[in-house]
Amino acid sequence: GAEGIAEDVRHYGQWLHDEAHRRIGSFYPAATLPGGQQGTVVAWLWARTVKSPDPSAKGAMVPLVSSFILSNKDGRKVWVEPMIDPHSPDGYRFDVKSGIISKADEARLRVGTIGRATGGICILSGASMPFTYVRNEGETNGLGVRLMAIVADGPSGRVYLSPSAEHESVALTASPDWEPEGQLPNNPRDFKTPNYGMSTFASIFTPRQLLGLTTLSSLVREVRKQVVTDAGNAGFSSDSTPLDSGGHGAVAYADAVTTYLAMVLDRMAFYGSSLCGWLAKDNAMGKTMPQQALAMSWDFAEGNPFGKSSASVATCTKAVVDCIIELKQTAPAQIANLDARKVVYERGALISTDPPYYDNVGYADLSDFFYCWLKPTVGEIYPDLFRRLSTPKDSELVATPYRHGGAHEAEQFFMEGMRDALSRMTTADSNYPTAIYYAFKQQEQSSIGLTSAGWAGFLQAIVDAGFGIDGTWPIRTENPSRSIAQGANALASSIVLVCRKRDSAAEVVTRAEFIRALRRELPDAIDDIRKAGVGPVDMQQSVIGPGMGVFSRYAKVLEDDDSAMPVKTALSLINRVWEEIENELDTNFDSETQVALAWFATYGFDARTSGELITLANAKNIPSDALFDSGVFNDLKGKAALTPRDDLPKGWTPAADKTLTVWECVQHTARVLNAEDGGGAAAGRLVAEMGSKAADARALAYRLFEIATQKGWAAEALIYNELAQEWPKLEDLATTADVRASTATTQAELF
């Protein structure tokens, strides 16, 4: 397999480490540990600084720190304590401390001296430093840096040390022989550093980081000659044809090894810029791009390329080698770089594609971060790929306003390009469906449904290309718990759109006929989706599938003025019909559950005056006493509230409840499923005893998730999402005799 070349990459990676350390190792001194012995530095932690606007500070460069907490380990937190010290440079110093810290002090230190919304605070005088001031200083005078702490390897783990003047001085005297070329793009959404005077790729690295990376880049070019010699001595042919031209000899092999070493360098750059934060939770280096953007980092970690950080030569070499070892070639393959709007597909081709997501990520701009290091390192090996100063941008199929002259022009460019690309796919004339992947951000999922510009535009392009959409199915690529908990900015999940070429004889229908078809077909489709185990967090995406299936089967859906209905309108109608179906389901619940659902949607589990409950009960024609007797509500003598799950009777069973409600079925099952003495088996037994109410209970779990999500109750939403996802498995368990009879089954049997 690939073990031979993996071993060679490891060997020459070690040579890179040793030779680089011989040349520039003096710029990375060891640290003196508390016991007096020397320890290898893992990372140097820096704070950016800006000139204080307060005249009393006398021009001092004060720190911009997002948080002074360095380690979150329970019982032994580590933090930086900024101290006012007239004898220190600029009137302050940093002391590293560890141990137990009060909640008040921890809260103070977590705030730091600059926040996302508030701007900065002068550490000396408390003067406000709004972002407008910091940006102006960065662009005119430049921001400085100040060493804040040192992380080193000690005898029993990592040690946090106060900054050293010697270490700071050595770092600031580094001077690279050359720098990577390239200006950062005028992309204000994804590139924030130009706002602060850091407008080139070189500017987002410290001088010492540049020294390390440029030295290694030069060494990668040097090592290629040695690989050619070694490969020839090992029996490779003397064929001088390079790898880029299909060579198989010693030269081509050297090109391959050098390429992997260039990937080592690129990975070092990814973990080795001044945009890498220090992760207090993990006690580790962060990345240059934790998201697909170059965001500003006020305090940053500079990893030691000769230590054990994520930015070290050894760590990055191992990461690349591990990937090479896992390469398993099972069949020959051909890879081509083609324009999707011009490619010619073979008849019967199977197409599975992951296209651009409207304006979500500008990969061409972001790829220049890696390109600027690859070009000087392996540009001679791949002259065609690296003939430009930067990556090509104009043909990238994304709706980028700054590139196309405005939002409208960008949308038009995307729509036309996507239609061309998708239309090409329909020419394959295949018996197989076309699978098209789409990834959502949580913010694209509004309360009225998936009607964002990106999603609607993407679906419109698919329909205009001549595809009919059979389904939109969720792919579990993201953690739903994380998506719900993090809210608007988290990626929710990916979906696959299952598409087939629309029948050329498709009919034209009116808006009213389309709505009637939705009302006729969606109820059964929604029920099938739930039975398939799709959880509430993915229901909106999944319901769009059968709805768009109805819409896209027609050649056109005509509005009242005979214009063609756009996809965005169709999405709104699909969501409206879905909401109608959900509301109709609500009326099928028992009266107690209907009152509980209305109360939950307004107050959650909070208590309110009894009069509020009486009003709701009267509307459903049920005495309020019946709500208390059922156990759904608590009578708090003048106030009322839904009974909390933790207060529900532990021995409850549906079979023994004479006033069984759907609300109780859901809340008790959720409680038992997550209880230490419960789990899947116990929850399955409850479902078995619910009889006809089991289907209603499953539907209620979905409704409660929707309400909790709309209200922002993340913890409550997680409970109902888990319950609804597990419900089909609970039903399976409920049908087995051993579940009803045995108490030995555990939740592990669900998986």
Side-chain angles (χ1 to χ4, degrees):
E3 291 183 2
I5 193 169
E7 182 57 36
D8 282 345
V9 172
R10 181 187 292 112
H11 170 80
Y12 293 109
Q14 183 64 48
W15 182 87
L16 289 178
H17 172 280
D18 296 344
E19 183 60 21
H21 189 269
R22 186 183 68 80
R23 297 184 186 186
I24 60 173
S26 60
F27 286 95
Y28 301 90
T32 302
L33 303 179
Q37 66 270 46
Q38 297 293 291
T40 302
V41 173
V42 174
W44 292 268
L45 308 186
W46 297 85
R48 296 195 199 277
T49 60
V50 66
K51 181 180 177 181
S52 173
D54 193 325
S56 67
K58 300 178 181 179
M61 297 294 287
V62 294
L64 300 168
V65 179
S66 57
S67 172
F68 287 108
I69 301 295
L70 302 183
S71 176
N72 277 329
K73 283 190 175 181
D74 291 336
R76 191 181 178 278
K77 294 186 183 295
V78 182
W79 67 94
V80 172
E81 190 70 60
M83 309 291 290
I84 304 300
D85 182 356
H87 303 292
S88 295
D90 287 313
Y92 65 92
R93 72 175 192 272
F94 294 128
D95 289 345
V96 172
K97 299 184 177 182
S98 62
I100 299 174
I101 186 173
S102 70
K103 289 185 178 180
D105 281 340
E106 183 174 355
R108 169 180 59 84
L109 293 165
R110 283 192 185 282
V111 172
T113 60
I114 191 165
R116 290 184 177 180
T118 58
I121 297 292
C122 174
I123 197 173
L124 299 176
S125 67
S128 175
M129 299 186 296
F131 282 114
T132 52
Y133 171 79
V134 179
R135 289 168 186 151
N136 181 66
E137 280 294 305
E139 291 178 341
T140 56
N141 300 317
L143 301 178
V145 294
R146 179 84 175 261
L147 188 59
M148 190 167 60
I150 299 172
V151 187
D153 276 325
S156 57
R158 290 188 170 176
V159 179
Y160 289 83
L161 307 170
S162 294
S164 156
E166 176 194 356
H167 278 250
E168 185 172 59
S169 175
V170 168
L172 297 179
T173 58
S175 179
D177 292 333
W178 60 273
E179 297 179 348
E181 297 178 345
Q183 291 282 326
L184 293 173
N186 179 27
N187 179 349
R189 187 190 69 173
D190 297 332
F191 290 77
K192 302 300 184 184
T193 61
N195 292 334
Y196 304 94
M198 300 161 61
S199 57
T200 66
F201 282 102
S203 68
I204 62 176
F205 296 88
T206 69
R208 184 164 61 178
Q209 288 174 328
L210 289 174
L211 175 65
L213 291 170
T214 55
T215 299
L216 285 161
S217 176
S218 300
L219 288 173
V220 170
R221 296 196 300 273
E222 286 183 29
V223 82
R224 179 172 174 268
K225 299 176 183 178
Q226 185 61 45
V227 179
V228 172
T229 300
D230 293 345
N233 293 336
F236 278 80
S237 76
S238 59
D239 175 21
S240 61
T241 306
L243 181 66
D244 191 43
S245 300
H248 295 282
V251 170
Y253 187 75
D255 290 345
V257 172
T258 304
T259 300
Y260 285 121
L261 293 175
M263 293 179 184
V264 171
L265 180 71
D266 252 13
R267 186 176 178 89
M268 290 183 65
F270 190 58
Y271 284 95
S273 79
S274 70
L275 304 184
C276 298
W278 180 256
L279 306 179
K281 179 182 177 182
D282 303 317
N283 292 276
M285 296 278 305
K287 308 171 184 176
T288 295
M289 297 180 225
Q291 296 177 329
Q292 293 101 333
L294 285 181
M296 188 63 178
S297 180
W298 301 110
D299 44 280
F300 62 92
E302 179 194 6
N304 185 354
F306 308 113
K308 296 181 180 179
S309 75
S310 300
S312 73
V313 180
T315 302
C316 293
T317 300
K318 183 180 184 302
V320 172
V321 168
D322 288 347
C323 290
I324 298 172
I325 291 174
E326 290 301 317
L327 293 175
K328 306 239 180 353
Q329 180 180 337
T330 57
Q334 290 183 335
I335 300 172
N337 187 6
L338 304 173
D339 187 338
R341 289 167 289 186
K342 299 176 182 178
V343 66
V344 177
Y345 292 94
E346 295 182 9
R347 182 180 177 84
L350 187 152
I351 300 172
S352 178
T353 182
D354 185 11
Y357 307 140
Y358 194 65
D359 65 344
N360 197 21
V361 179
Y363 286 110
D365 284 335
L366 293 170
S367 64
D368 277 340
F369 174 86
F370 302 98
Y371 188 92
C372 73
W373 289 107
L374 287 170
K375 181 178 173 63
T377 308
V378 293
E380 293 181 358
I381 296 177
Y382 305 98
D384 185 58
L385 283 178
F386 294 98
R387 68 181 184 273
R388 302 176 179 87
L389 292 177
S390 63
T391 61
K393 314 268 189 324
D394 291 343
S395 60
E396 184 183 24
L397 195 52
V398 291
T400 314
Y402 74 88
R403 191 180 293 160
H404 297 287
H408 174 73
E409 292 81 1
E411 180 178 6
Q412 187 176 14
F413 170 80
F414 175 82
M415 291 293 293
E416 290 176 355
M418 188 58 70
R419 274 194 295 266
D420 290 344
L422 293 170
S423 296
R424 289 277 176 177
M425 295 178 192
T426 64
T427 63
D429 196 19
S430 177
N431 291 325
Y432 301 105
T434 293
I436 304 175
Y437 296 83
Y438 193 94
F440 283 97
K441 282 187 175 179
Q442 193 79 9
Q443 62 194 19
E444 292 187 274
Q445 304 184 39
S446 65
S447 59
I448 62 170
L450 304 172
T451 57
S452 71
W455 175 232
F458 187 69
L459 286 179
Q460 187 71 59
I462 290 176
V463 172
D464 290 348
F467 275 120
I469 299 172
D470 280 357
T472 53
W473 288 94
I475 307 295
R476 180 56 65 232
T477 57
E478 307 299 326
N479 185 333
S481 302
R482 175 179 173 272
S483 299
I484 296 168
Q486 290 191 352
N489 292 325
L491 189 67
S493 61
S494 301
I495 60 172
V496 58
L497 294 96
V498 184
C499 306
R500 294 183 186 272
K501 188 176 181 180
R502 187 165 51 247
D503 191 338
S504 58
E507 61 180 324
V508 176
V509 298
T510 65
R511 178 189 183 103
E513 290 172 316
F514 170 54
I515 293 175
R516 283 197 293 272
L518 286 176
R519 288 172 175 160
R520 183 173 59 251
E521 298 182 32
L522 277 186
D524 288 342
I526 291 170
D527 191 51
D528 287 342
I529 290 170
R530 286 175 174 161
K531 287 179 180 177
V534 174
V537 72
D538 293 312
M539 275 302 293
Q540 267 191 316
Q541 295 167 339
S542 300
V543 170
I544 293 299
M548 283 302 299
V550 174
F551 177 76
S552 61
R553 81 164 65 121
Y554 301 119
K556 286 183 181 179
V557 176
L558 298 179
E559 297 280 22
D560 295 338
D561 61 357
D562 286 340
S563 63
M565 178 183 292
V567 164
K568 190 171 184 179
T569 301
L571 287 173
S572 296
L573 292 175
I574 292 167
N575 283 291
R576 186 187 305 171
V577 171
W578 179 37
E579 188 174 340
E580 291 174 2
I581 293 169
E582 296 296 285
N583 290 335
E584 289 175 7
L585 286 174
D586 291 353
T587 62
N588 294 330
F589 297 142
D590 53 80
S591 298
E592 292 89 344
T593 298
Q594 291 185 44
V595 173
L597 189 60
W599 183 281
F600 180 78
T602 307
Y603 309 124
F605 283 91
D606 293 344
R608 288 292 187 274
T609 62
S610 298
E612 305 250 4
L613 182 60
I614 292 171
T615 300
L616 283 175
N618 289 341
K620 299 299 181 182
N621 195 28
I622 182 173
S624 57
D625 287 346
L627 297 172
F628 298 135
D629 294 341
S630 67
V632 174
F633 281 86
N634 273 345
D635 185 356
L636 303 176
K637 307 305 178 184
K639 289 189 174 183
L642 287 166
T643 305
R645 272 186 299 277
D646 291 342
D647 294 346
L648 293 171
K650 298 300 186 288
W652 179 90
T653 63
D657 194 325
K658 296 181 180 180
T659 57
L660 183 62
T661 67
V662 178
W663 181 268
E664 291 172 287
C665 290
V666 168
Q667 299 302 332
H668 277 284
T669 307
R671 175 184 61 79
V672 170
L673 184 62
N674 292 286
E676 291 184 4
D677 57 348
R685 286 192 290 275
L686 295 185
V687 173
E689 294 184 16
M690 290 177 194
S692 61
K693 286 192 181 290
D696 289 339
R698 183 188 65 193
L700 179 60
Y702 281 85
R703 291 288 289 128
L704 292 174
F705 169 84
E706 293 162 15
I707 293 170
T709 301
Q710 291 169 4
K711 293 288 187 178
W713 301 334
E716 197 71 9
L718 285 171
I719 288 171
Y720 300 124
N721 185 64
E722 179 189 8
L723 178 61
Q725 281 188 314
E726 298 304 316
W727 201 272
K729 299 172 185 176
L730 297 180
E731 289 179 329
D732 289 342
L733 288 172
T735 61
T736 60
D738 61 321
V739 169
R740 291 192 295 270
S742 171
T743 59
T745 311
T746 66
Q747 190 172 359
E749 294 186 28
L750 288 174
F751 303 99

